Amino acid sequence: MEYLIAFILAAAGMVVNKRMTSTPRKIYLGIICIYVIIIVGLRYRVGVDTISYMASFKQIRDLDHIFDSDIFSYRYEPGYLLLNSLVKTFTKEFWVMQMIVGAIVNGCIFVFLYRYCKNVFVGVMIFLFMQWFYFSMEIMRESIAISIFLLNYRNLEKNNWTRYYLVSLIYIPFHYSSVVTWLFPLAKMLKPNMAFVIFCIAALAITPVIERLYELIPFLSLANRLDQYVTNAAGLNLNWKLAELMRTGVPAMAVVMAYRMAKIRCTQEKMLLLQILFCMGAFAIPMIFSRFTNYTTMFVTVGAANFLCDIESSRKLRVALLGIILLSQGFYYYSMYPRWFPYVSIFNPHQVHEREQIWKHDFITWR
């Protein structure tokens, strides 16, 4: 029920958006954002990664003692570590840390959606469905980097290169995978032509070769360290690759095709093509590229939201796109459901057995 209220609020905003002026729209959007932040901030052991973050928080020292040892010796990146240490200086309650991260992540994302969505509430609804749970309850430190990058995207869009790269220095210390955003200006070279299609097919074709290399060259197993969230071989088999392609690749492809079929210009097309490239790369080399799709997935949300709001395009095409998005996440929710449902708050803290078992399997058994 706690999650459902957020969706109901967004749905109500979708209906009344046209009747709102700028100020009421911002106020109502702010109300939804605050509710979302409170929900993720007051959760208790909801999200398997969250359980690990909670355990690590107990070991992190406060600011007065954090430099007694080398901060680079900790598992986490310096930015996230220092944020934890700052919170630890004032309180030992992890929910405060959750609230701060939730405010940063969801606040930045809501601003991003407001900037680029025709009907921001449609964007919020798609975000809640496709990325909210994962961003807020799993990849906490990476989601900070992603959300700040989304605000920085305006500099990329306007070719303000100096400011773009300077701002990137703020979020890279939260998760090193975000260094990939330094290459995003090259996305402007991408075009949905035959060369792009051939490149994607080639990425899929080399998959057997890459898998064989992993078997033949032992030191390549060190690549596992690039992704702390995919730690066992079973998670990287063909079924996993197909499921990941369905979750992240199919929606992006569907959005690009919808705009092309409707002959409508998509302002996010370059980033959508980059998302597709990352998905192809993740199929071939998942331990490297599976992280990168997190930085481009919000452009799929914006592209889909704006197309669904375009009343001039075919209604059948819009319904088809919506159906594809919903179906593409089906297996993902089936497998991730125990991580987020049921919701448990700090006011009635208790452990969910199935969730705890998943955590032990992912972070203890396979460590």
Side-chain angles (χ1 to χ4, degrees), residues 188-199:
K188 295 190 176 184
M189 300 169 57
L190 296 176
K191 296 180 181 180
N193 51 23
M194 185 55 64
F196 179 82
V197 174
I198 292 174
F199 191 87

Side-chain angles (χ1 to χ4, degrees), residues 268-285:
Q268 288 78 38
E269 185 176 73
K270 303 297 185 182
M271 299 304 291
L272 292 175
L273 294 177
L274 185 58
Q275 167 81 350
I276 295 171
L277 274 184
F278 284 157
C279 291
M280 298 301 108
F283 194 90
I285 316 174

